[in-house]
Amino acid sequence: MFEVFLKEVKELLRDRKTLFFVIALPIVIFPILFALLGFLASKTTFEAEQKVHTYYLANAEHSSEFAQMLFYHKSFKPYEGDEQFDSIDALKAAVKAGKIDVGIEIPKQQDKQLNVTPEQAVWHVVFNDAQSINFVYKRLEKLINKYAAGIRSATLEALGATKAHHSAILKPITITKVDTADKRENYGEKLGALIPYMLIPLVLMGASYPAIDLGAGEKERGTLETLLLTPVTRTQLVLGKFLTILTSSIACALVTVSSMAIWISIAGGIGVLDTIKDAFSSVSITDFMLIFALLLPVAVMLSSLVLAISIYARSFKEAQNYMGPLSMLVFVPIVVSVMPNMSLNTTTAWIPITNVSLAIKEIIKGTVDYSAVMMIFVASALLAGALLMFCIRWFSKESVLFR
């Protein structure tokens, strides 16, 4: 068995394509992609923040004070054309035509409402909200609220309330949130659910590429028959291939986690990703080892599955076609783990992959129930053993090997 394992590892190390996906991709490509996405997102956000929006204020004469506030705001400039847009429909058409970025309609009775009537004015802000990053409404809302605060204050003074009592009148009760969760639990709830999305698919990816080569690739090259003629039992042969795939799977996950930790440390040292660094600062080495231990039976499951699929496939291409649906199926239990009200308990501890995803999140949060973790180990180990036995039996069938 170990002779087969060493032979397959040597061939695996000579395969540049597999090495790229297992080692080079996690170390180099993922950080570059994340950095590129972060750069593009920050660049787009910066450009959106710096943009000066063209506005048209309908019925501006009924609120000259607000018109002045808007005119001198650094993020807005008035429409300089000759057309008049004095209705909501006209403002909509102007926004759609690109003549203005935003239109504001002030009700004609606005000047009569100051300080004397309890009626509530309705202002209409017309803009295109389909853009992914758009600060125009938030800026206008903030400006209008500031203007409304002035109206409120003047109205209260006209009714005889002093400025000292304005806060108590407008908001008689304030709420202060007292959170019993510590920083680790808060960050862990938000970020802990994302870790399985990265680790488990990577375990599958690390197993898929060598499995395709060691099963369907052997068939396509015609070397499987030669291996079957060697003085090695089929059980030893399949276990040697399985250990190679398992090693690759675990190595891919380890390299990715190590790479992520290094890049987070570097980014945190220069003031970037401080939140993520704070979230993982309280996670101990023991916690990381426990996460790794939970991934081991998952790696055994997925390695057994991909090897069985690869052995069944007639060609390299057919095996690749089978791996696509498998990847989608693996995501389903991970998605289940992030659904509302899903928590680690005696029931969910027996659901494959979902149990590991929930346990990883609880470990990051620092609220893991170790009795539930033991149940997960038992459930995962039983399923992993069953799948490995199935793979061994599958490899013994002539109808599978030579179909």
Side-chain angles (χ1 to χ4, degrees):
M1 180 179 72
F2 289 104
E3 286 79 4
V4 176
F5 170 69
L6 292 175
K7 171 252 182 192
E8 300 292 2
V9 168
K10 288 179 181 178
E11 291 187 358
L12 188 65
L13 292 175
R14 295 192 190 106
D15 187 354
R16 294 182 180 180
K17 181 180 177 181
T18 302
L19 288 177
F20 171 78
F21 282 105
V22 174
I23 298 176
L25 188 65
I27 292 178
V28 180
I29 303 300
F30 285 162
I32 290 176
L33 287 176
F34 292 151
L36 182 61
L37 289 174
F39 170 75
L40 291 176
S42 62
K43 184 176 182 293
T44 305
T45 304
F46 178 77
E47 289 176 353
E49 288 177 343
Q50 297 300 313
K51 183 179 180 180
V52 178
H53 305 282
T54 302
Y55 72 89
Y56 184 90
L57 189 60
N59 303 324
E61 67 276 6
H62 296 293
S63 184
S64 56
E65 184 181 346
F66 178 76
Q68 289 293 317
M69 292 172 63
L70 190 57
F71 180 81
Y72 288 109
H73 196 284
K74 64 178 182 178
S75 298
F76 295 98
K77 63 179 180 179
Y79 171 67
E80 297 177 350
D82 298 328
E83 295 184 62
Q84 300 292 318
F85 314 114
D86 294 329
S87 66
I88 295 178
D89 290 335
L91 290 171
K92 284 183 178 179
V95 171
K96 289 181 178 179
K99 297 175 182 178
I100 59 175
D101 295 319
V102 61
I104 308 100
E105 186 198 46
I106 299 175
K108 294 182 180 180
Q109 72 275 22
Q110 179 65 47
D111 55 347
K112 299 178 182 178
Q113 291 189 354
L114 297 181
N115 311 331
V116 292
T117 123
E119 294 180 11
Q120 189 178 58
V122 179
W123 291 27
H124 295 94
V125 179
V126 181
F127 71 108
N128 184 356
D129 198 24
Q131 299 177 16
S132 57
I133 301 178
N134 196 337
F135 295 102
V136 62
Y137 184 77
K138 289 184 179 179
R139 288 169 177 165
L140 271 176
E141 185 180 34
K142 184 177 180 181
L143 197 62
I144 293 172
N145 286 338
K146 182 180 179 181
Y147 175 66
I151 296 176
R152 235 180 356 252
S153 180
T155 303
L156 287 172
E157 287 184 11
L159 294 173
T162 63
K163 287 187 176 180
H165 296 143
H166 288 185
S167 297
I169 293 171
L170 295 172
K171 198 172 184 180
I173 298 175
T174 59
I175 302 173
T176 300
K177 183 174 70 173
V178 180
D179 193 356
T180 58
D182 56 18
K183 184 186 291 187
R184 175 177 175 178
E185 190 173 346
N186 275 320
Y187 285 148
E189 180 65 30
K190 298 174 180 66
L191 296 174
L194 299 177
I195 302 302
Y197 271 100
M198 181 187 68
L199 288 179
I200 295 176
L202 281 170
V203 169
L204 176 60
M205 185 183 76
S208 298
Y209 289 101
I212 293 172
D213 185 65
L214 297 182
E218 292 272 17
K219 282 186 176 182
E220 205 165 44
R221 292 190 298 269
T223 56
L224 182 61
E225 291 83 352
T226 305
L227 282 175
L228 293 173
L229 291 173
T230 58
V232 179
T233 64
R234 291 194 179 183
T235 300
Q236 292 173 328
L237 188 59
V238 71
L239 286 177
K241 289 179 177 292
F242 166 77
L243 287 176
T244 306
I245 297 167
L246 181 63
T247 302
S248 173
S249 174
I250 295 171
C252 183
L254 281 176
V255 168
T256 304
V257 173
S258 302
S259 174
M260 183 183 69
I262 293 170
W263 283 102
I264 289 176
S265 177
I266 293 171
I270 58 177
V272 184
L273 302 178
D274 286 335
T275 301
I276 297 178
K277 188 178 180 182
D278 290 340
F280 290 98
S281 60
S282 56
V283 181
S284 65
I285 298 297
T286 305
D287 293 327
F288 281 115
M289 291 178 65
L290 184 57
I291 292 173
F292 176 72
L294 285 168
L295 288 174
L296 280 176
V298 175
V300 174
M301 291 182 217
L302 297 178
S303 298
S304 302
L305 276 174
V306 294
L307 181 56
I309 291 171
S310 181
I311 292 169
Y312 178 78
R314 292 188 182 92
S315 63
F316 199 93
K317 186 177 180 180
E318 184 181 345
Q320 286 181 319
N321 292 336
Y322 291 145
M323 295 303 171
L326 178 62
S327 300
M328 297 300 296
L329 287 174
V330 167
F331 271 106
V332 173
I334 302 176
V335 172
V336 171
S337 68
V338 297
M339 287 183 175
N341 299 324
M342 284 295 295
S343 60
L344 185 60
N345 51 47
T346 53
T347 302
T348 55
W350 293 92
I351 304 175
I353 298 182
T354 297
N355 52 10
V356 175
S357 301
L358 290 171
I360 290 174
K361 183 173 74 171
E362 294 297 324
I363 292 170
I364 300 296
K365 288 171 60 179
T367 57
V368 64
D369 181 358
Y370 290 100
S371 61
V373 171
M374 290 304 299
M375 293 177 65
I376 292 172
F377 274 121
V378 173
S380 299
L382 289 174
L383 182 56
L387 287 172
L388 181 57
M389 291 300 297
F390 167 77
C391 186
I392 294 172
R393 292 288 300 274
W394 194 242
F395 195 84
S396 302
K397 292 179 178 290
E398 300 287 336
S399 57
V400 173
L401 291 179
F402 303 107
R403 59 185 290 270

